[in-house]
Amino acid sequence: MKIAVITDTNKSAIWRLASGLSYPEYKFKLIDFHPKKPSEQQIKEVKKSFEWADLVHVHYWKSGSKIKEMFPDIWKLKTKVLTHHNPYNLKEENWDDYKHVCVMNESQKKELPNSTVTPHCINLNLFKYNENYVRRQNVVHMSVARIEGKKGVLEVAQACKELEYKFILVGRPSDPNYLKQVLDIAKGFIDYRQDVSDQDLVKSYYESAIHVCNSVDNFESGTLCILEAMACGVAVLTRRIGMVPDIHNRKNLSIMDCEPNNIECIKSNLSTLMSNRTQRLEMIKEGLQTVSIRGYDTWSKKHVEIYKSLGF
Protein backbone atom coordinates (compact mmCIF):
# COMPACT_ATOMS: atom_id res chain seq x y z
CA MET A 1 0.00 0.00 0.00
CA LYS A 2 1.41 3.38 -1.03
CA ILE A 3 0.85 6.40 1.24
CA ALA A 4 1.82 9.94 0.22
CA VAL A 5 2.49 11.99 3.38
CA ILE A 6 2.18 15.76 2.90
CA THR A 7 3.85 18.05 5.46
CA ASP A 8 4.47 21.78 5.70
CA THR A 9 8.19 22.49 5.42
CA ASN A 10 11.29 20.33 5.43
CA LYS A 11 12.67 19.59 8.93
CA SER A 12 9.74 21.19 10.76
CA ALA A 13 8.34 19.52 13.88
CA ILE A 14 5.47 18.15 11.79
CA TRP A 15 7.92 16.85 9.19
CA ARG A 16 10.02 15.15 11.86
CA LEU A 17 6.98 13.42 13.28
CA ALA A 18 5.64 12.33 9.89
CA SER A 19 9.06 10.97 8.93
CA GLY A 20 8.65 8.33 11.64
CA LEU A 21 5.99 6.43 9.69
CA SER A 22 7.21 2.97 8.69
CA TYR A 23 5.39 -0.36 8.51
CA PRO A 24 5.75 -3.68 6.64
CA GLU A 25 3.87 -3.81 3.31
CA TYR A 26 3.32 -0.03 3.42
CA LYS A 27 5.40 2.42 1.42
CA PHE A 28 5.49 5.99 2.69
CA LYS A 29 6.62 8.92 0.56
CA LEU A 30 7.22 12.16 2.47
CA ILE A 31 6.58 15.40 0.55
CA ASP A 32 6.94 18.88 2.04
CA PHE A 33 4.68 21.50 0.46
CA HIS A 34 4.92 25.11 1.57
CA PRO A 35 1.42 26.33 2.53
CA LYS A 36 1.91 29.79 0.95
CA LYS A 37 4.63 29.71 -1.69
CA PRO A 38 5.48 26.16 -2.79
CA SER A 39 8.56 25.80 -4.95
CA GLU A 40 8.52 24.41 -8.46
CA GLN A 41 10.16 21.25 -7.14
CA GLN A 42 7.50 20.87 -4.44
CA ILE A 43 4.76 21.31 -7.03
CA LYS A 44 6.36 18.69 -9.24
CA GLU A 45 6.73 16.24 -6.36
CA VAL A 46 3.18 16.63 -5.08
CA LYS A 47 1.74 16.00 -8.56
CA LYS A 48 3.82 12.85 -8.92
CA SER A 49 2.86 11.71 -5.43
CA PHE A 50 -0.88 12.03 -6.07
CA GLU A 51 -0.43 9.83 -9.14
CA TRP A 52 1.70 7.31 -7.23
CA ALA A 53 -0.27 7.00 -3.98
CA ASP A 54 -3.19 4.80 -3.02
CA LEU A 55 -3.95 7.15 -0.11
CA VAL A 56 -2.87 10.71 0.66
CA HIS A 57 -2.25 11.68 4.30
CA VAL A 58 -2.07 15.44 4.83
CA HIS A 59 -0.20 16.44 7.98
CA TYR A 60 -0.71 20.19 7.67
CA TRP A 61 -4.14 21.45 6.73
CA LYS A 62 -2.91 24.65 5.10
CA SER A 63 -0.65 22.66 2.78
CA GLY A 64 -3.68 20.55 1.87
CA SER A 65 -5.77 23.65 1.23
CA LYS A 66 -3.04 25.08 -1.00
CA ILE A 67 -2.89 21.89 -3.07
CA LYS A 68 -6.68 21.94 -3.46
CA GLU A 69 -6.58 25.60 -4.51
CA MET A 70 -3.83 25.06 -7.08
CA PHE A 71 -4.85 21.64 -8.43
CA PRO A 72 -8.56 20.96 -7.74
CA ASP A 73 -8.76 18.14 -10.29
CA ILE A 74 -5.77 16.30 -8.84
CA TRP A 75 -7.07 16.91 -5.31
CA LYS A 76 -10.28 15.01 -6.09
CA LEU A 77 -8.50 11.91 -7.37
CA LYS A 78 -7.46 10.27 -4.11
CA THR A 79 -8.89 9.40 -0.72
CA LYS A 80 -7.34 11.67 1.90
CA VAL A 81 -6.72 11.61 5.66
CA LEU A 82 -5.91 14.74 7.67
CA THR A 83 -3.83 15.01 10.82
CA HIS A 84 -4.64 18.34 12.48
CA HIS A 85 -1.69 19.35 14.64
CA ASN A 86 -2.73 22.84 15.71
CA PRO A 87 -5.06 23.26 18.71
CA TYR A 88 -6.30 26.51 17.20
CA ASN A 89 -8.30 26.68 13.95
CA LEU A 90 -9.65 23.16 14.49
CA LYS A 91 -12.91 24.40 13.00
CA GLU A 92 -11.39 26.58 10.31
CA GLU A 93 -12.98 24.29 7.71
CA ASN A 94 -15.51 21.42 7.84
CA TRP A 95 -12.86 18.89 6.68
CA ASP A 96 -15.37 17.19 4.38
CA ASP A 97 -12.59 16.62 1.83
CA TYR A 98 -11.04 14.10 4.19
CA LYS A 99 -12.20 10.54 4.79
CA HIS A 100 -10.93 10.72 8.36
CA VAL A 101 -9.39 13.31 10.68
CA CYS A 102 -6.70 12.63 13.28
CA VAL A 103 -5.74 14.93 16.15
CA MET A 104 -2.86 14.91 18.61
CA ASN A 105 -4.44 15.00 22.07
CA GLU A 106 -7.68 14.59 23.99
CA SER A 107 -8.34 18.32 24.21
CA GLN A 108 -8.46 18.52 20.41
CA LYS A 109 -10.71 15.47 20.25
CA LYS A 110 -13.27 17.27 22.40
CA GLU A 111 -13.45 19.89 19.66
CA LEU A 112 -13.64 17.27 16.89
CA PRO A 113 -15.45 14.29 18.49
CA ASN A 114 -15.34 12.11 15.35
CA SER A 115 -11.56 12.33 15.11
CA THR A 116 -8.98 9.78 16.25
CA VAL A 117 -6.15 10.69 18.61
CA THR A 118 -2.73 9.76 17.23
CA PRO A 119 -0.49 10.86 20.13
CA HIS A 120 2.92 12.44 19.67
CA CYS A 121 5.79 9.97 19.43
CA ILE A 122 9.54 10.30 18.95
CA ASN A 123 12.53 8.38 17.65
CA LEU A 124 13.54 6.33 20.70
CA ASN A 125 16.55 5.03 18.80
CA LEU A 126 17.88 8.58 18.70
CA PHE A 127 16.69 10.04 22.00
CA LYS A 128 18.12 7.63 24.55
CA TYR A 129 18.80 7.72 28.25
CA ASN A 130 22.53 7.99 28.90
CA GLU A 131 23.32 5.97 32.04
CA ASN A 132 26.88 7.29 32.08
CA TYR A 133 25.71 10.86 32.07
CA VAL A 134 26.17 12.78 35.31
CA ARG A 135 23.22 15.15 35.56
CA ARG A 136 24.20 18.80 35.60
CA GLN A 137 23.15 21.38 38.16
CA ASN A 138 21.93 24.86 37.31
CA VAL A 139 21.53 24.24 33.56
CA VAL A 140 18.15 24.98 31.96
CA HIS A 141 17.19 23.84 28.47
CA MET A 142 14.66 24.98 25.89
CA SER A 143 14.30 23.56 22.38
CA VAL A 144 11.82 25.24 20.05
CA ALA A 145 11.27 24.86 16.32
CA ARG A 146 10.71 28.62 15.95
CA ILE A 147 11.90 31.12 18.53
CA GLU A 148 9.00 33.53 19.03
CA GLY A 149 7.00 35.25 21.74
CA LYS A 150 4.32 32.56 22.03
CA LYS A 151 6.98 30.09 23.18
CA GLY A 152 7.73 32.18 26.28
CA VAL A 153 11.49 32.08 25.72
CA LEU A 154 12.24 35.64 26.81
CA GLU A 155 10.74 35.13 30.27
CA VAL A 156 12.68 31.90 30.84
CA ALA A 157 15.87 33.63 29.68
CA GLN A 158 15.34 36.45 32.19
CA ALA A 159 14.55 33.98 34.98
CA CYS A 160 17.79 32.08 34.26
CA LYS A 161 19.80 35.32 34.25
CA GLU A 162 18.39 36.35 37.63
CA LEU A 163 18.96 32.88 39.08
CA GLU A 164 22.43 32.72 37.49
CA TYR A 165 21.59 29.46 35.71
CA LYS A 166 23.11 28.55 32.37
CA PHE A 167 20.43 28.66 29.68
CA ILE A 168 20.80 26.40 26.63
CA LEU A 169 18.48 27.53 23.84
CA VAL A 170 18.12 25.42 20.70
CA GLY A 171 16.07 26.56 17.70
CA ARG A 172 15.67 28.80 14.70
CA PRO A 173 14.60 32.44 14.99
CA SER A 174 11.12 33.27 13.71
CA ASP A 175 11.54 36.91 14.71
CA PRO A 176 15.17 38.17 14.67
CA ASN A 177 14.30 41.12 16.90
CA TYR A 178 12.76 38.80 19.50
CA LEU A 179 15.85 36.59 19.43
CA LYS A 180 18.04 39.66 19.97
CA GLN A 181 16.00 40.55 23.06
CA VAL A 182 16.47 37.02 24.38
CA LEU A 183 20.23 37.10 23.78
CA ASP A 184 20.56 40.54 25.35
CA ILE A 185 18.50 39.82 28.46
CA ALA A 186 20.41 36.60 29.26
CA LYS A 187 23.84 37.85 28.21
CA GLY A 188 26.57 35.96 30.02
CA PHE A 189 24.31 33.01 30.81
CA ILE A 190 22.83 31.98 27.46
CA ASP A 191 24.24 29.33 25.13
CA TYR A 192 22.34 29.71 21.85
CA ARG A 193 22.54 26.89 19.30
CA GLN A 194 20.99 27.26 15.84
CA ASP A 195 20.56 24.65 13.08
CA VAL A 196 21.92 21.80 15.17
CA SER A 197 22.15 18.21 13.95
CA ASP A 198 20.03 15.49 15.54
CA GLN A 199 23.08 14.27 17.44
CA ASP A 200 23.85 17.75 18.75
CA LEU A 201 20.23 18.16 19.80
CA VAL A 202 20.51 15.00 21.89
CA LYS A 203 23.79 16.30 23.33
CA SER A 204 22.07 19.52 24.38
CA TYR A 205 19.61 17.49 26.46
CA TYR A 206 22.45 15.51 28.04
CA GLU A 207 24.05 18.77 29.17
CA SER A 208 20.91 19.98 30.94
CA ALA A 209 19.26 19.53 34.32
CA ILE A 210 15.77 20.85 33.49
CA HIS A 211 13.89 21.23 30.22
CA VAL A 212 11.27 24.01 30.22
CA CYS A 213 8.13 24.48 28.13
CA ASN A 214 6.60 27.92 28.69
CA SER A 215 4.27 28.28 25.68
CA VAL A 216 1.05 30.27 25.82
CA ASP A 217 -2.33 28.54 26.02
CA ASN A 218 -3.97 27.09 22.90
CA PHE A 219 -0.75 27.14 20.86
CA GLU A 220 0.84 23.70 21.23
CA SER A 221 -0.54 20.22 20.64
CA GLY A 222 2.62 18.58 22.05
CA THR A 223 5.37 19.34 22.49
CA LEU A 224 7.74 16.76 21.04
CA CYS A 225 10.51 18.32 23.10
CA ILE A 226 8.86 17.19 26.34
CA LEU A 227 9.06 13.58 25.16
CA GLU A 228 12.61 14.04 23.88
CA ALA A 229 13.72 15.41 27.25
CA MET A 230 12.06 12.52 29.09
CA ALA A 231 13.76 9.97 26.81
CA CYS A 232 17.15 11.58 27.39
CA GLY A 233 16.73 11.62 31.17
CA VAL A 234 16.02 15.30 31.79
CA ALA A 235 13.46 16.60 34.28
CA VAL A 236 10.62 18.56 32.66
CA LEU A 237 9.04 21.78 33.92
CA THR A 238 6.05 22.87 31.85
CA ARG A 239 2.84 24.82 31.72
CA ARG A 240 -0.35 22.81 31.40
CA ILE A 241 -0.51 22.97 27.60
CA GLY A 242 -0.95 20.60 24.66
CA MET A 243 -0.60 16.93 25.51
CA VAL A 244 0.58 17.63 29.08
CA PRO A 245 -2.81 16.82 30.71
CA ASP A 246 -2.84 13.51 28.77
CA ILE A 247 0.54 12.31 30.04
CA HIS A 248 0.88 13.94 33.47
CA ASN A 249 0.70 11.38 36.29
CA ARG A 250 1.84 13.78 39.06
CA LYS A 251 5.30 12.19 39.12
CA ASN A 252 6.71 12.36 35.60
CA LEU A 253 6.91 16.15 35.18
CA SER A 254 6.45 19.36 37.14
CA ILE A 255 3.64 21.80 36.34
CA MET A 256 3.94 25.60 36.39
CA ASP A 257 0.48 26.90 37.22
CA CYS A 258 1.14 30.47 36.19
CA GLU A 259 1.00 32.71 33.15
CA PRO A 260 3.98 32.47 30.78
CA ASN A 261 4.98 36.08 31.48
CA ASN A 262 5.15 35.60 35.27
CA ILE A 263 8.91 35.67 35.72
CA GLU A 264 8.79 35.40 39.51
CA CYS A 265 6.68 32.24 39.23
CA ILE A 266 9.07 30.77 36.67
CA LYS A 267 12.02 31.54 38.93
CA SER A 268 10.31 29.97 41.93
CA ASN A 269 9.47 26.78 40.03
CA LEU A 270 12.95 26.51 38.55
CA SER A 271 14.68 27.11 41.86
CA THR A 272 12.47 24.63 43.74
CA LEU A 273 12.97 21.86 41.19
CA MET A 274 16.68 22.54 40.71
CA SER A 275 17.32 22.32 44.46
CA ASN A 276 15.46 19.02 44.84
CA ARG A 277 17.70 16.43 43.20
CA THR A 278 15.70 13.55 44.69
CA GLN A 279 12.51 14.80 43.06
CA ARG A 280 14.25 15.24 39.73
CA LEU A 281 15.65 11.70 39.81
CA GLU A 282 12.21 10.28 40.55
CA MET A 283 10.73 12.46 37.80
CA ILE A 284 13.31 11.17 35.34
CA LYS A 285 12.50 7.56 36.24
CA GLU A 286 8.77 8.17 35.73
CA GLY A 287 9.39 10.11 32.54
CA LEU A 288 11.29 7.19 31.03
CA GLN A 289 8.28 4.97 31.69
CA THR A 290 5.94 7.52 30.11
CA VAL A 291 7.96 7.86 26.93
CA SER A 292 8.68 4.15 26.55
CA ILE A 293 5.36 3.66 24.72
CA ARG A 294 5.78 6.79 22.58
CA GLY A 295 8.17 5.47 19.93
CA TYR A 296 7.79 5.49 16.14
CA ASP A 297 6.61 1.87 16.20
CA THR A 298 3.56 2.95 18.23
CA TRP A 299 3.03 5.94 15.96
CA SER A 300 3.14 3.78 12.83
CA LYS A 301 0.87 1.02 14.18
CA LYS A 302 -1.77 3.59 15.13
CA HIS A 303 -1.77 5.01 11.63
CA VAL A 304 -1.94 1.62 9.94
CA GLU A 305 -4.99 0.78 12.08
CA ILE A 306 -6.69 3.88 10.67
CA TYR A 307 -5.65 3.10 7.10
CA LYS A 308 -6.96 -0.46 7.38
CA SER A 309 -10.26 0.76 8.83
CA LEU A 310 -10.64 2.84 5.65
CA GLY A 311 -9.87 -0.14 3.41
CA PHE A 312 -6.20 0.59 2.70
Side-chain angles (χ1 to χ4, degrees), residues 11-20 127 198 201 224 228 296:
K11 305 299 182 182
S12 69
I14 292 174
W15 183 95
R16 284 171 56 203
L17 190 53
S19 69
F127 298 98
D198 287 345
L201 174 59
L224 287 174
E228 293 169 359
Y296 281 165

Side-chain angles (χ1 to χ4, degrees), residues 147-208:
I147 300 171
E148 59 175 293
K150 290 182 179 180
K151 295 284 187 175
V153 179
L154 184 66
E155 292 80 5
V156 176
Q158 183 171 341
C160 288
K161 175 68 176 287
E162 294 181 12
L163 290 169
E164 298 187 348
Y165 291 166
K166 180 178 179 179
F167 179 40
I168 298 176
L169 174 62
V170 181
R172 296 178 181 179
S174 177
D175 179 351
N177 291 327
Y178 181 78
L179 175 61
K180 185 178 185 302
Q181 291 180 55
V182 171
L183 296 175
D184 288 345
I185 206 165
K187 187 175 181 180
F189 291 88
I190 190 167
D191 179 355
Y192 173 50
R193 305 177 188 185
Q194 182 179 352
D195 295 326
V196 300
S197 66
D198 287 345
Q199 290 71 27
D200 285 338
L201 174 59
V202 173
K203 183 181 177 183
S204 73
Y205 285 113
Y206 289 164
E207 296 174 17
S208 307

